[in-house]
Amino acid sequence: MDRAEKRELVASLNVQFKTTGSVVVAKYAGLTVANMTALRGKVRAAGGTVKVAKNRLAKLALVGTELEHMADLFKGPTVILSAKDPVAAPKVAAEFAKANDKFVILGGGLGKQSLDAAGVKALADLPSLDELRAKIAGVINQPASKLASVLAAPAGALARVIQARADKDQAA
C-alpha cells in the first residue's frame, strides 16, 4: 500500500467515524474467509460496514472525531464494524461472537461514550430504531382503538335495548 492509498484509507475511515452511529472493535484472528464473508454480509444487511485496517491508520483516522477515545482498542489484528443505527453494529457483533469463539469484542464507541465489551453487549440488547418506531406506533394506535370501542359501546347497547323492546312489543 503506497502513501496515496494510505491517505485515502485514513480519509475514508475519518468520514466513516464522523458519520456513524456506533462503532465496534473486535479481534478476528483465527476466523476463516467464509466466517469473515458471513460477518460482512450480516453487517451489510443491517446497514453497516466492516473494515480491516492497520491499527496505526485507524488511530490516525480517529483524530478529530468524537470517537478519538477508542484509540487504545487498536492492538493486534482488529476489525471495525460500524453502522448509522446505533444498535445495528453491536447487535450483529454480539450475535456473531456467540456463534464464533474466535471473534472477540474488544469494545467500541457511541459518540463520545466509550464502550467496553459488556457495554457493546448491553447496547446490542436494546431494540433497534425500527423496532422502537413500531412500538411507539402501537402505543399511539392502541388508545385510539380503545376510544372507538368505548364510544361505540353505548350506541350498541342502546340499539340492543330498542331491539329487545321491539321484540317484546311484537310478542305481546
Side-chain angles (χ1 to χ4, degrees):
M1 187 180 264
D2 66 351
R3 285 181 186 235
E5 291 174 324
K6 288 179 182 178
R7 270 191 234 112
E8 187 178 315
L9 177 65
V10 168
S12 71
L13 276 175
N14 185 275
V15 169
Q16 183 177 344
F17 288 146
K18 285 181 179 178
T19 60
T20 191
S22 65
V23 174
V24 177
V25 179
K27 286 188 177 189
Y28 69 97
L31 288 179
T32 64
V33 173
N35 288 340
M36 283 299 288
T37 303
L39 175 64
R40 288 179 193 275
K42 288 179 182 179
V43 173
R44 193 176 306 116
T49 59
V50 175
K51 285 272 191 190
V52 176
K54 290 187 176 192
N55 293 336
R56 186 174 51 81
L57 298 178
K59 288 178 184 179
L60 286 172
L62 285 170
V63 174
T65 66
E66 290 182 334
L67 299 168
E68 206 166 346
H69 54 80
M70 291 182 8
D72 52 334
L73 293 175
F74 292 96
K75 293 177 183 152
T78 55
V79 63
I80 306 164
L81 288 78
S82 63
K84 291 194 187 244
D85 182 358
V87 180
K91 194 173 287 263
V92 172
E95 181 182 304
F96 193 77
K98 287 179 189 174
N100 299 291
D101 58 339
K102 293 181 181 177
F103 184 80
V104 180
I105 298 172
L106 299 174
L110 180 65
K112 292 184 179 180
Q113 180 67 39
S114 182
L115 302 171
D116 59 353
V120 171
K121 290 177 183 169
L123 190 58
D125 292 337
L126 293 175
S128 71
L129 198 56
D130 291 337
E131 291 170 356
L132 285 174
R133 287 179 181 148
K135 286 181 181 180
I136 290 172
V139 168
I140 290 171
N141 191 25
Q142 187 177 20
S145 63
K146 284 185 177 180
L147 180 64
S149 65
V150 167
L151 291 176
L158 180 62
R160 285 190 293 278
V161 168
I162 292 172
Q163 185 64 41
R165 180 80 172 157
D167 291 345
K168 186 178 177 183
D169 286 346
Q170 278 183 346

